Amino acid sequence: MVKYCGEYFGDSSGKVISRVAHPMVSFSDYDHKELSLKKITYGGYGIALKKTWARENNLSPVNYVEKNSPAAQGLISLLRARQRGKLPPELRLSVIQLKCFTKHVSGKNSHFKIDNFDFKAENEWRYVPSKSQIGGNKISENFSTYNKSKDKYNSRLKPYSLKFNNLDIKYIYVQNSAEREYLIHNLGLSPKR
């Protein structure tokens, strides 16, 4: 399900340059064999979809940058220019599209309450829809505005799900054999997945 997700981008001194919510669906690119060794941020269930499906649906890996790197400094300059109205109109959306796929290598993880979490270890890929793919809704919303009305913003996205079918599934991860058997029998899935 596509939902808005709060994201921040800061400078090397810790100053927040951008704190917004973007509509997205996040995925992790883990090797099946190493998955049991990973600390998973969002639970013990999952669906591994084929890379061909990811490419066909315009998913992209996240660009991880160090806060003091030239890449981070360049994006900070673009974000500040955008905030001050100094960018040509045709570049304003491009800067946000770039920012939607950029994340600090490490930082605060609110789920685990860890200040120096290694985000790069998540190997995140994202689906960030265009405005036209979500009925003209915003692809970037001020986080404070979004946070006051999360349900309102996310309910606007409900009609615009990211779809897949059984043939797109590579693996399904569940907690026990009873759940596995339930999925095999009730969804018609192959026991090999």
Side-chain angles (χ1 to χ4, degrees), residues 107-166:
K108 182 170 178 61
N109 180 307
S110 56
H111 181 77
F112 287 132
K113 297 180 180 25
I114 297 173
D115 287 333
N116 200 25
F117 185 82
D118 182 8
F119 289 115
K120 189 173 185 311
E122 294 179 322
N123 293 329
E124 184 179 355
W125 281 56
R126 289 182 178 172
Y127 167 74
V128 179
S130 65
K131 281 183 77 167
S132 64
Q133 289 173 308
I134 53 172
N137 288 294
K138 294 182 176 183
I139 67 160
S140 185
E141 181 59 71
N142 176 285
F143 185 78
S144 296
T145 304
Y146 160 74
N147 205 32
K148 291 175 189 171
S149 303
K150 287 181 182 181
D151 291 340
K152 176 181 88 171
Y153 281 95
N154 287 321
S155 69
R156 292 176 182 168
L157 299 178
K158 281 185 181 177
Y160 310 105
S161 59
L162 179 59
K163 297 182 182 343
F164 63 90
N165 63 48
N166 285 357

Short mmCIF file of all heavy atoms in Angstrom, two decimals, residues 107-166:
data_model
loop_
_atom_site.label_atom_id
_atom_site.label_comp_id
_atom_site.label_asym_id
_atom_site.label_seq_id
_atom_site.Cartn_x
_atom_site.Cartn_y
_atom_site.Cartn_z
N GLY A 107 21.65 7.35 10.84
CA GLY A 107 20.88 8.40 11.51
C GLY A 107 19.89 7.80 12.49
O GLY A 107 19.94 6.61 12.80
N LYS A 108 18.96 8.63 12.94
CA LYS A 108 18.00 8.20 13.95
C LYS A 108 16.94 7.29 13.32
O LYS A 108 16.31 7.64 12.34
CB LYS A 108 17.32 9.40 14.60
CG LYS A 108 16.34 9.00 15.69
CD LYS A 108 15.86 10.21 16.48
CE LYS A 108 14.87 9.85 17.54
NZ LYS A 108 15.35 8.95 18.56
N ASN A 109 16.77 6.12 13.93
CA ASN A 109 15.71 5.19 13.54
C ASN A 109 14.64 5.27 14.61
O ASN A 109 14.85 4.80 15.73
CB ASN A 109 16.27 3.77 13.41
CG ASN A 109 15.22 2.77 13.02
OD1 ASN A 109 14.17 2.67 13.64
ND2 ASN A 109 15.52 1.99 11.99
N SER A 110 13.50 5.86 14.29
CA SER A 110 12.44 6.06 15.28
C SER A 110 11.78 4.74 15.68
O SER A 110 11.27 4.62 16.78
CB SER A 110 11.41 7.05 14.76
OG SER A 110 10.89 6.62 13.53
N HIS A 111 11.80 3.75 14.80
CA HIS A 111 11.18 2.45 15.11
C HIS A 111 11.96 1.72 16.21
O HIS A 111 11.38 1.23 17.16
CB HIS A 111 11.10 1.59 13.84
CG HIS A 111 10.47 0.26 14.05
ND1 HIS A 111 9.11 0.11 14.17
CD2 HIS A 111 11.01 -0.97 14.19
CE1 HIS A 111 8.83 -1.16 14.36
NE2 HIS A 111 9.96 -1.84 14.37
N PHE A 112 13.28 1.65 16.06
CA PHE A 112 14.13 0.99 17.05
C PHE A 112 14.63 1.93 18.14
O PHE A 112 15.26 1.50 19.09
CB PHE A 112 15.35 0.34 16.38
CG PHE A 112 15.04 -0.90 15.60
CD1 PHE A 112 15.54 -1.05 14.32
CD2 PHE A 112 14.27 -1.91 16.13
CE1 PHE A 112 15.27 -2.20 13.59
CE2 PHE A 112 14.00 -3.06 15.41
CZ PHE A 112 14.50 -3.21 14.13
N LYS A 113 14.39 3.24 17.96
CA LYS A 113 14.88 4.26 18.89
C LYS A 113 16.41 4.19 19.03
O LYS A 113 16.97 4.20 20.11
CB LYS A 113 14.19 4.15 20.24
CG LYS A 113 12.68 4.39 20.14
CD LYS A 113 11.99 4.29 21.47
CE LYS A 113 10.52 4.52 21.43
NZ LYS A 113 9.75 4.30 20.28
N ILE A 114 17.06 4.12 17.88
CA ILE A 114 18.53 4.10 17.80
C ILE A 114 18.97 5.37 17.11
O ILE A 114 18.47 5.71 16.03
CB ILE A 114 19.02 2.85 17.02
CG1 ILE A 114 18.62 1.57 17.75
CG2 ILE A 114 20.53 2.92 16.80
CD1 ILE A 114 18.93 0.30 16.97
N ASP A 115 19.92 6.09 17.72
CA ASP A 115 20.37 7.36 17.15
C ASP A 115 21.30 7.22 15.96
O ASP A 115 21.34 8.07 15.10
CB ASP A 115 21.05 8.21 18.23
CG ASP A 115 20.07 8.78 19.22
OD1 ASP A 115 18.89 8.99 18.85
OD2 ASP A 115 20.45 9.01 20.38
N ASN A 116 22.10 6.17 15.91
CA ASN A 116 23.08 6.03 14.84
C ASN A 116 22.84 4.72 14.08
O ASN A 116 23.73 3.91 13.93
CB ASN A 116 24.50 6.09 15.41
CG ASN A 116 25.52 6.42 14.35
OD1 ASN A 116 25.20 7.03 13.33
ND2 ASN A 116 26.74 6.00 14.57
N PHE A 117 21.63 4.55 13.59
CA PHE A 117 21.23 3.33 12.89
C PHE A 117 21.87 3.28 11.50
O PHE A 117 21.95 4.29 10.81
CB PHE A 117 19.70 3.31 12.77
CG PHE A 117 19.16 2.05 12.17
CD1 PHE A 117 18.98 0.92 12.94
CD2 PHE A 117 18.81 2.00 10.83
CE1 PHE A 117 18.48 -0.25 12.40
CE2 PHE A 117 18.30 0.84 10.27
CZ PHE A 117 18.13 -0.29 11.06
N ASP A 118 22.31 2.11 11.09
CA ASP A 118 22.92 1.91 9.78
C ASP A 118 21.84 1.66 8.73
O ASP A 118 21.44 0.52 8.48
CB ASP A 118 23.89 0.73 9.84
CG ASP A 118 24.61 0.49 8.51
OD1 ASP A 118 24.49 1.31 7.58
OD2 ASP A 118 25.29 -0.55 8.42
N PHE A 119 21.33 2.74 8.11
CA PHE A 119 20.27 2.61 7.11
C PHE A 119 20.75 1.89 5.86
O PHE A 119 19.98 1.18 5.22
CB PHE A 119 19.71 3.98 6.73
CG PHE A 119 18.90 4.62 7.81
CD1 PHE A 119 19.33 5.78 8.42
CD2 PHE A 119 17.71 4.06 8.22
CE1 PHE A 119 18.58 6.38 9.41
CE2 PHE A 119 16.94 4.64 9.22
CZ PHE A 119 17.38 5.81 9.81
N LYS A 120 22.01 2.06 5.51
CA LYS A 120 22.53 1.44 4.30
C LYS A 120 22.40 -0.08 4.35
O LYS A 120 22.18 -0.73 3.34
CB LYS A 120 23.99 1.84 4.07
CG LYS A 120 24.52 1.42 2.72
CD LYS A 120 25.90 1.99 2.50
CE LYS A 120 26.42 1.71 1.12
NZ LYS A 120 26.33 0.34 0.67
N ALA A 121 22.46 -0.65 5.56
CA ALA A 121 22.34 -2.10 5.71
C ALA A 121 20.97 -2.62 5.29
O ALA A 121 20.80 -3.81 5.02
CB ALA A 121 22.63 -2.50 7.16
N GLU A 122 19.98 -1.72 5.20
CA GLU A 122 18.64 -2.14 4.77
C GLU A 122 18.55 -2.40 3.26
O GLU A 122 17.60 -3.00 2.80
CB GLU A 122 17.60 -1.07 5.14
CG GLU A 122 17.42 -0.89 6.63
CD GLU A 122 16.41 0.18 6.95
OE1 GLU A 122 16.36 1.22 6.26
OE2 GLU A 122 15.65 -0.01 7.90
N ASN A 123 19.52 -1.90 2.51
CA ASN A 123 19.50 -2.06 1.05
C ASN A 123 18.13 -1.69 0.48
O ASN A 123 17.53 -2.44 -0.29
CB ASN A 123 19.86 -3.49 0.64
CG ASN A 123 21.28 -3.84 0.96
OD1 ASN A 123 22.16 -2.99 0.96
ND2 ASN A 123 21.52 -5.10 1.28
N GLU A 124 17.66 -0.53 0.84
CA GLU A 124 16.29 -0.13 0.50
C GLU A 124 16.13 0.23 -0.98
O GLU A 124 16.96 0.89 -1.58
CB GLU A 124 15.88 1.07 1.36
CG GLU A 124 14.45 1.50 1.16
CD GLU A 124 14.06 2.67 2.04
OE1 GLU A 124 14.86 3.10 2.89
OE2 GLU A 124 12.93 3.17 1.86
N TRP A 125 15.02 -0.24 -1.53
CA TRP A 125 14.52 0.18 -2.83
C TRP A 125 13.20 0.87 -2.57
O TRP A 125 12.49 0.52 -1.62
CB TRP A 125 14.29 -1.02 -3.75
CG TRP A 125 15.52 -1.58 -4.38
CD1 TRP A 125 16.64 -2.02 -3.75
CD2 TRP A 125 15.73 -1.79 -5.77
NE1 TRP A 125 17.54 -2.49 -4.66
CE2 TRP A 125 17.01 -2.37 -5.91
CE3 TRP A 125 14.97 -1.55 -6.90
CZ2 TRP A 125 17.54 -2.70 -7.15
CZ3 TRP A 125 15.49 -1.89 -8.14
CH2 TRP A 125 16.77 -2.45 -8.26
N ARG A 126 12.83 1.83 -3.40
CA ARG A 126 11.58 2.56 -3.20
C ARG A 126 10.78 2.66 -4.49
O ARG A 126 11.32 2.79 -5.57
CB ARG A 126 11.85 3.99 -2.72
CG ARG A 126 12.35 4.07 -1.32
CD ARG A 126 12.55 5.49 -0.90
NE ARG A 126 12.99 5.52 0.50
CZ ARG A 126 13.39 6.60 1.12
NH1 ARG A 126 13.41 7.76 0.48
NH2 ARG A 126 13.77 6.55 2.38
N TYR A 127 9.49 2.65 -4.26
CA TYR A 127 8.53 3.05 -5.29
C TYR A 127 7.99 4.39 -4.82
O TYR A 127 7.40 4.49 -3.75
CB TYR A 127 7.40 2.04 -5.41
CG TYR A 127 6.24 2.54 -6.22
CD1 TYR A 127 6.32 2.65 -7.61
CD2 TYR A 127 5.05 2.93 -5.62
CE1 TYR A 127 5.26 3.12 -8.37
CE2 TYR A 127 3.97 3.41 -6.36
CZ TYR A 127 4.09 3.50 -7.73
OH TYR A 127 3.04 3.97 -8.47
N VAL A 128 8.23 5.43 -5.58
CA VAL A 128 7.69 6.76 -5.31
C VAL A 128 6.89 7.15 -6.54
O VAL A 128 7.46 7.39 -7.61
CB VAL A 128 8.80 7.80 -5.02
CG1 VAL A 128 8.20 9.17 -4.77
CG2 VAL A 128 9.66 7.37 -3.83
N PRO A 129 5.58 7.20 -6.40
CA PRO A 129 4.75 7.48 -7.58
C PRO A 129 4.86 8.94 -8.02
O PRO A 129 5.21 9.82 -7.24
CB PRO A 129 3.34 7.18 -7.08
CG PRO A 129 3.40 7.41 -5.61
CD PRO A 129 4.79 7.02 -5.19
N SER A 130 4.54 9.16 -9.27
CA SER A 130 4.43 10.52 -9.79
C SER A 130 3.08 11.09 -9.35
O SER A 130 2.20 10.34 -8.93
CB SER A 130 4.53 10.52 -11.31
OG SER A 130 3.41 9.85 -11.86
N LYS A 131 2.92 12.39 -9.48
CA LYS A 131 1.63 13.01 -9.14
C LYS A 131 0.50 12.38 -9.95
O LYS A 131 -0.59 12.14 -9.41
CB LYS A 131 1.67 14.52 -9.39
CG LYS A 131 2.36 15.31 -8.31
CD LYS A 131 2.31 16.79 -8.58
CE LYS A 131 0.94 17.33 -8.26
NZ LYS A 131 0.88 18.80 -8.20
N SER A 132 0.73 12.11 -11.22
CA SER A 132 -0.34 11.55 -12.05
C SER A 132 -0.70 10.13 -11.60
O SER A 132 -1.85 9.72 -11.75
CB SER A 132 0.05 11.57 -13.52
OG SER A 132 1.16 10.74 -13.75
N GLN A 133 0.26 9.39 -11.05
CA GLN A 133 -0.02 8.02 -10.59
C GLN A 133 -0.82 7.99 -9.29
O GLN A 133 -1.33 6.94 -8.91
CB GLN A 133 1.29 7.25 -10.39
CG GLN A 133 1.99 6.91 -11.69
CD GLN A 133 3.34 6.31 -11.45
OE1 GLN A 133 4.18 6.84 -10.72
NE2 GLN A 133 3.58 5.15 -12.05
N ILE A 134 -0.93 9.13 -8.61
CA ILE A 134 -1.69 9.19 -7.35
C ILE A 134 -2.77 10.27 -7.42
O ILE A 134 -3.09 10.93 -6.43
CB ILE A 134 -0.78 9.37 -6.12
CG1 ILE A 134 0.16 10.57 -6.28
CG2 ILE A 134 0.00 8.09 -5.83
CD1 ILE A 134 0.94 10.94 -5.04
N GLY A 135 -3.33 10.43 -8.59
CA GLY A 135 -4.48 11.31 -8.76
C GLY A 135 -4.24 12.77 -8.46
O GLY A 135 -5.15 13.48 -8.03
N GLY A 136 -3.01 13.24 -8.70
CA GLY A 136 -2.71 14.65 -8.48
C GLY A 136 -2.33 15.00 -7.04
O GLY A 136 -2.07 16.17 -6.74
N ASN A 137 -2.29 14.02 -6.15
CA ASN A 137 -1.86 14.30 -4.78
C ASN A 137 -0.37 14.66 -4.76
O ASN A 137 0.37 14.34 -5.68
CB ASN A 137 -2.12 13.08 -3.88
CG ASN A 137 -3.59 12.90 -3.61
OD1 ASN A 137 -4.21 13.71 -2.95
ND2 ASN A 137 -4.16 11.81 -4.13
N LYS A 138 0.05 15.31 -3.70
CA LYS A 138 1.43 15.80 -3.61
C LYS A 138 2.43 14.66 -3.43
O LYS A 138 2.14 13.68 -2.74
CB LYS A 138 1.55 16.76 -2.43
CG LYS A 138 0.76 18.03 -2.59
CD LYS A 138 0.99 18.94 -1.39
CE LYS A 138 0.27 20.27 -1.58
NZ LYS A 138 0.55 21.17 -0.46
N ILE A 139 3.63 14.83 -4.02
CA ILE A 139 4.71 13.87 -3.77
C ILE A 139 5.65 14.38 -2.68
O ILE A 139 6.61 13.70 -2.33
CB ILE A 139 5.49 13.49 -5.04
CG1 ILE A 139 6.27 14.67 -5.61
CG2 ILE A 139 4.59 12.86 -6.07
CD1 ILE A 139 7.38 14.24 -6.53
N SER A 140 5.35 15.53 -2.14
CA SER A 140 6.13 16.07 -1.03
C SER A 140 5.22 16.99 -0.22
O SER A 140 4.65 17.92 -0.77
CB SER A 140 7.35 16.84 -1.55
OG SER A 140 8.16 17.24 -0.49
N GLU A 141 5.10 16.69 1.07
CA GLU A 141 4.26 17.49 1.96
C GLU A 141 5.06 17.83 3.20
O GLU A 141 5.77 16.98 3.74
CB GLU A 141 2.99 16.72 2.34
CG GLU A 141 2.04 17.46 3.25
CD GLU A 141 1.54 18.78 2.65
OE1 GLU A 141 0.74 18.73 1.71
OE2 GLU A 141 1.97 19.85 3.13
N ASN A 142 4.96 19.05 3.66
CA ASN A 142 5.60 19.46 4.91
C ASN A 142 5.24 18.45 6.00
O ASN A 142 4.07 18.12 6.18
CB ASN A 142 5.13 20.87 5.27
CG ASN A 142 5.68 21.32 6.60
OD1 ASN A 142 5.23 20.88 7.65
ND2 ASN A 142 6.65 22.20 6.55
N PHE A 143 6.24 17.98 6.74
CA PHE A 143 5.98 16.92 7.72
C PHE A 143 5.03 17.35 8.81
O PHE A 143 4.16 16.57 9.22
CB PHE A 143 7.29 16.40 8.33
CG PHE A 143 7.05 15.23 9.24
CD1 PHE A 143 6.83 13.96 8.71
CD2 PHE A 143 7.02 15.39 10.62
CE1 PHE A 143 6.58 12.89 9.54
CE2 PHE A 143 6.77 14.31 11.45
CZ PHE A 143 6.56 13.06 10.91
N SER A 144 5.14 18.57 9.30
CA SER A 144 4.23 19.04 10.37
C SER A 144 2.79 19.04 9.89
O SER A 144 1.88 18.63 10.62
CB SER A 144 4.62 20.44 10.84
OG SER A 144 5.89 20.41 11.41
N THR A 145 2.57 19.49 8.68
CA THR A 145 1.22 19.50 8.09
C THR A 145 0.70 18.08 7.95
O THR A 145 -0.42 17.77 8.34
CB THR A 145 1.24 20.20 6.72
OG1 THR A 145 1.78 21.51 6.88
CG2 THR A 145 -0.15 20.28 6.12
N TYR A 146 1.53 17.21 7.40
CA TYR A 146 1.15 15.80 7.23
C TYR A 146 0.87 15.14 8.58
O TYR A 146 -0.12 14.43 8.75
CB TYR A 146 2.25 15.04 6.48
CG TYR A 146 2.19 13.56 6.68
CD1 TYR A 146 1.21 12.80 6.06
CD2 TYR A 146 3.09 12.91 7.53
CE1 TYR A 146 1.14 11.42 6.25
CE2 TYR A 146 3.02 11.54 7.73
CZ TYR A 146 2.04 10.81 7.09
OH TYR A 146 1.96 9.46 7.31
N ASN A 147 1.74 15.37 9.55
CA ASN A 147 1.65 14.70 10.85
C ASN A 147 0.35 15.04 11.59
O ASN A 147 -0.15 14.22 12.36
CB ASN A 147 2.87 15.06 11.70
CG ASN A 147 3.17 14.01 12.74
OD1 ASN A 147 2.93 12.83 12.52
ND2 ASN A 147 3.68 14.45 13.87
N LYS A 148 -0.21 16.21 11.34
CA LYS A 148 -1.46 16.60 11.99
C LYS A 148 -2.66 15.87 11.39
O LYS A 148 -3.70 15.77 12.03
CB LYS A 148 -1.68 18.11 11.84
CG LYS A 148 -0.70 18.94 12.64
CD LYS A 148 -0.90 20.42 12.36
CE LYS A 148 0.22 21.22 12.97
NZ LYS A 148 0.20 22.63 12.54
N SER A 149 -2.53 15.38 10.16
CA SER A 149 -3.66 14.75 9.45
C SER A 149 -3.20 13.53 8.66
O SER A 149 -3.53 13.38 7.48
CB SER A 149 -4.31 15.76 8.51
OG SER A 149 -4.72 16.90 9.19
N LYS A 150 -2.43 12.63 9.30
CA LYS A 150 -1.90 11.46 8.60
C LYS A 150 -2.99 10.65 7.91
O LYS A 150 -2.85 10.25 6.76
CB LYS A 150 -1.17 10.53 9.58
CG LYS A 150 0.15 11.02 10.05
CD LYS A 150 0.76 9.99 10.99
CE LYS A 150 2.08 10.46 11.52
NZ LYS A 150 2.70 9.46 12.41
N ASP A 151 -4.07 10.37 8.64
CA ASP A 151 -5.14 9.55 8.07
C ASP A 151 -5.74 10.19 6.83
O ASP A 151 -6.04 9.51 5.85
CB ASP A 151 -6.23 9.29 9.12
CG ASP A 151 -5.76 8.37 10.23
OD1 ASP A 151 -4.77 7.63 10.02
OD2 ASP A 151 -6.37 8.39 11.32
N LYS A 152 -5.92 11.51 6.87
CA LYS A 152 -6.49 12.22 5.72
C LYS A 152 -5.58 12.08 4.49
O LYS A 152 -6.04 11.73 3.40
CB LYS A 152 -6.68 13.70 6.06
CG LYS A 152 -7.19 14.54 4.89
CD LYS A 152 -7.35 16.00 5.26
CE LYS A 152 -6.04 16.71 5.02
NZ LYS A 152 -6.10 18.16 5.13
N TYR A 153 -4.29 12.31 4.68
CA TYR A 153 -3.35 12.23 3.56
C TYR A 153 -3.26 10.80 3.01
O TYR A 153 -3.28 10.59 1.80
CB TYR A 153 -1.96 12.73 3.96
CG TYR A 153 -1.88 14.24 3.96
CD1 TYR A 153 -2.06 14.96 5.14
CD2 TYR A 153 -1.64 14.94 2.80
CE1 TYR A 153 -2.02 16.34 5.15
CE2 TYR A 153 -1.58 16.32 2.79
CZ TYR A 153 -1.77 17.02 3.97
OH TYR A 153 -1.71 18.38 3.97
N ASN A 154 -3.14 9.82 3.91
CA ASN A 154 -3.00 8.44 3.46
C ASN A 154 -4.28 7.88 2.86
O ASN A 154 -4.22 7.06 1.94
CB ASN A 154 -2.49 7.56 4.60
CG ASN A 154 -1.03 7.83 4.89
OD1 ASN A 154 -0.23 8.03 3.98
ND2 ASN A 154 -0.66 7.85 6.16
N SER A 155 -5.43 8.34 3.33
CA SER A 155 -6.70 7.86 2.74
C SER A 155 -6.83 8.32 1.29
O SER A 155 -7.45 7.64 0.47
CB SER A 155 -7.90 8.31 3.56
OG SER A 155 -8.08 9.70 3.48
N ARG A 156 -6.24 9.44 0.96
CA ARG A 156 -6.26 9.92 -0.43
C ARG A 156 -5.48 9.01 -1.37
O ARG A 156 -5.69 9.02 -2.58
CB ARG A 156 -5.65 11.33 -0.52
CG ARG A 156 -6.47 12.40 0.15
CD ARG A 156 -5.73 13.71 0.09
NE ARG A 156 -6.46 14.77 0.76
CZ ARG A 156 -5.95 15.95 1.05
NH1 ARG A 156 -4.71 16.24 0.72
NH2 ARG A 156 -6.68 16.85 1.68
N LEU A 157 -4.56 8.23 -0.81
CA LEU A 157 -3.72 7.34 -1.64
C LEU A 157 -4.29 5.94 -1.79
O LEU A 157 -3.79 5.16 -2.60
CB LEU A 157 -2.32 7.25 -1.03
CG LEU A 157 -1.53 8.56 -0.91
CD1 LEU A 157 -0.19 8.31 -0.25
CD2 LEU A 157 -1.37 9.22 -2.26
N LYS A 158 -5.31 5.59 -1.02
CA LYS A 158 -5.85 4.22 -1.03
C LYS A 158 -6.21 3.70 -2.42
O LYS A 158 -5.95 2.54 -2.73
CB LYS A 158 -7.04 4.10 -0.09
CG LYS A 158 -6.63 3.97 1.35
CD LYS A 158 -7.81 3.73 2.26
CE LYS A 158 -7.34 3.63 3.70
NZ LYS A 158 -8.44 3.47 4.63
N PRO A 159 -6.80 4.53 -3.29
CA PRO A 159 -7.15 4.00 -4.63
C PRO A 159 -5.94 3.70 -5.52
O PRO A 159 -6.10 3.12 -6.59
CB PRO A 159 -7.99 5.11 -5.25
CG PRO A 159 -8.35 6.03 -4.15
CD PRO A 159 -7.31 5.87 -3.09
N TYR A 160 -4.75 4.09 -5.10
CA TYR A 160 -3.58 4.02 -5.98
C TYR A 160 -2.54 3.04 -5.45
O TYR A 160 -1.40 3.39 -5.16
CB TYR A 160 -2.96 5.42 -6.13
CG TYR A 160 -4.00 6.44 -6.51
CD1 TYR A 160 -4.47 7.35 -5.57
CD2 TYR A 160 -4.54 6.46 -7.79
CE1 TYR A 160 -5.44 8.28 -5.91
CE2 TYR A 160 -5.51 7.39 -8.13
CZ TYR A 160 -5.96 8.29 -7.19
OH TYR A 160 -6.92 9.20 -7.52
N SER A 161 -2.91 1.78 -5.36
CA SER A 161 -2.00 0.77 -4.80
C SER A 161 -0.96 0.35 -5.84
O SER A 161 -1.15 0.51 -7.04
CB SER A 161 -2.79 -0.44 -4.31
OG SER A 161 -3.52 -1.00 -5.38
N LEU A 162 0.12 -0.20 -5.33
CA LEU A 162 1.17 -0.78 -6.17
C LEU A 162 0.82 -2.26 -6.32
O LEU A 162 0.83 -3.00 -5.34
CB LEU A 162 2.53 -0.60 -5.49
CG LEU A 162 3.75 -1.15 -6.20
CD1 LEU A 162 3.91 -0.52 -7.58
CD2 LEU A 162 4.99 -0.89 -5.36
N LYS A 163 0.49 -2.67 -7.51
CA LYS A 163 -0.07 -4.01 -7.72
C LYS A 163 0.99 -5.04 -8.13
O LYS A 163 1.96 -4.71 -8.79
CB LYS A 163 -1.16 -3.95 -8.77
CG LYS A 163 -2.35 -3.08 -8.35
CD LYS A 163 -3.42 -3.10 -9.40
CE LYS A 163 -4.61 -2.24 -9.12
NZ LYS A 163 -4.89 -1.75 -7.86
N PHE A 164 0.74 -6.27 -7.69
CA PHE A 164 1.53 -7.42 -8.13
C PHE A 164 0.60 -8.62 -8.15
O PHE A 164 -0.49 -8.59 -7.57
CB PHE A 164 2.75 -7.66 -7.23
CG PHE A 164 2.41 -7.99 -5.81
CD1 PHE A 164 2.24 -9.31 -5.40
CD2 PHE A 164 2.27 -6.99 -4.86
CE1 PHE A 164 1.92 -9.61 -4.09
CE2 PHE A 164 1.97 -7.28 -3.56
CZ PHE A 164 1.79 -8.60 -3.16
N ASN A 165 1.03 -9.69 -8.83
CA ASN A 165 0.24 -10.92 -8.84
C ASN A 165 1.09 -12.09 -8.37
O ASN A 165 2.29 -11.92 -8.11
CB ASN A 165 -0.39 -11.16 -10.22
CG ASN A 165 0.65 -11.38 -11.29
OD1 ASN A 165 1.59 -12.15 -11.12
ND2 ASN A 165 0.50 -10.70 -12.41
N ASN A 166 0.49 -13.24 -8.26
CA ASN A 166 1.20 -14.42 -7.74
C ASN A 166 2.47 -14.74 -8.53
O ASN A 166 3.45 -15.20 -7.96
CB ASN A 166 0.29 -15.64 -7.73
CG ASN A 166 -0.72 -15.61 -6.61
OD1 ASN A 166 -0.71 -14.69 -5.79
ND2 ASN A 166 -1.59 -16.60 -6.56
#
